[in-house]
Amino acid sequence: MTEAAAQKQKVAVIDIGSSAIRMVVAELGQKAEIHYLENLQKPVRFGKDVFTTGRLSNEVIREGIDILKNFKSVITGYEVKTVQAIATSAIRDAENRDNFIDQVFVRTAMDVEIIEGPEENRLELIAVEYALKDKVDLEKKKCMIVEVGSGTTEMIILNQGQVALTRTLSKGSI
């Protein structure tokens, strides 16, 4: 194995959202370069259940676990060693979220971290900064970043590159 190949690391990130489960598999290079290998998304009805009944139905739990099992086979195929799985508003708000998280671990061996609104804001800001890094100098601007998700709306106000305000609103597209 060459030195360059030895320093590359394959990672997978899974976002368990209110209306979809998304996964990106990437290879990280030694100089922070990212080579995307796979970008998958499957619809799921977590938000419909939780935002109407407060709970995840057994059917939607099975559906979510089936999707995660399929993603796990992709992870295995790429020989990924590092997997980060996060869940946002629908899972966070579900009365039976611990049952879902436990079942995911038992059936896929994946640990799922439920993230709160402020952490969602932080991750979204990192994503926006990365996406705009060669296009807009956020350190010279006043701007508002708004992400309307299925379960929540995240708002970030920047002033000269500094976070002035963040809000997570309990209103999303679902």
Side-chain angles (χ1 to χ4, degrees):
M1 183 183 315
T2 68
E3 184 178 329
Q7 293 188 6
K8 290 185 178 181
Q9 177 183 10
K10 291 180 186 171
V11 299
V13 177
I14 299 171
D15 171 18
I16 303 170
S18 299
S19 62
I21 301 177
R22 299 165 191 84
M23 179 176 74
V24 173
V25 178
E27 190 172 63
L28 306 180
Q30 54 191 347
K31 295 182 182 173
E33 62 274 323
I34 301 171
H35 175 69
Y36 294 99
L37 304 172
E38 201 76 51
N39 191 345
L40 303 173
Q41 177 173 313
K42 293 288 185 184
V44 71
R45 299 169 295 131
F46 291 140
K48 184 176 185 246
D49 276 10
V50 173
F51 304 141
T52 56
T53 69
R55 300 180 58 79
L56 297 163
S57 68
N58 290 333
E59 179 185 344
V60 82
I61 288 174
R62 279 191 298 275
E63 184 182 335
I65 289 172
D66 286 345
I67 292 167
L68 290 168
K69 283 180 180 178
N70 288 333
F71 285 5
K72 180 73 174 200
S73 67
V74 172
I75 289 167
T76 301
Y78 278 108
E79 299 178 346
V80 171
K81 302 292 186 242
T82 304
V83 178
Q84 176 70 48
I86 62 168
T88 56
S89 65
I91 304 302
R92 180 173 60 231
D93 295 347
E95 293 171 10
N96 58 339
R97 69 177 176 226
D98 292 339
N99 178 39
F100 174 73
I101 299 297
D102 290 346
Q103 285 193 44
V104 168
F105 183 77
V106 167
R107 296 168 192 242
T108 68
M110 285 188 219
D111 278 316
V112 176
E113 176 186 359
I114 298 174
I115 63 171
E116 299 297 328
E119 179 64 1
E120 275 188 81
N121 283 329
R122 187 183 76 77
L123 294 172
E124 287 164 3
L125 179 57
I126 290 169
V128 168
E129 288 174 335
Y130 181 80
L132 297 177
K133 72 179 175 189
D134 295 327
K135 298 171 184 83
V136 177
D137 186 355
L138 294 176
E139 293 188 8
K140 295 181 180 177
K141 303 279 185 191
K142 292 182 181 181
C143 61
M144 180 183 338
I145 300 165
V146 178
E147 189 261 333
V148 180
S150 298
T152 59
T153 297
E154 308 292 336
M155 294 178 22
I156 305 167
I157 297 176
L158 294 177
N159 186 1
Q160 314 301 341
Q162 299 298 310
V163 176
L165 178 74
T166 65
R167 289 290 183 268
T168 300
L169 309 173
S170 298
K171 300 291 180 207
S173 64
I174 297 179

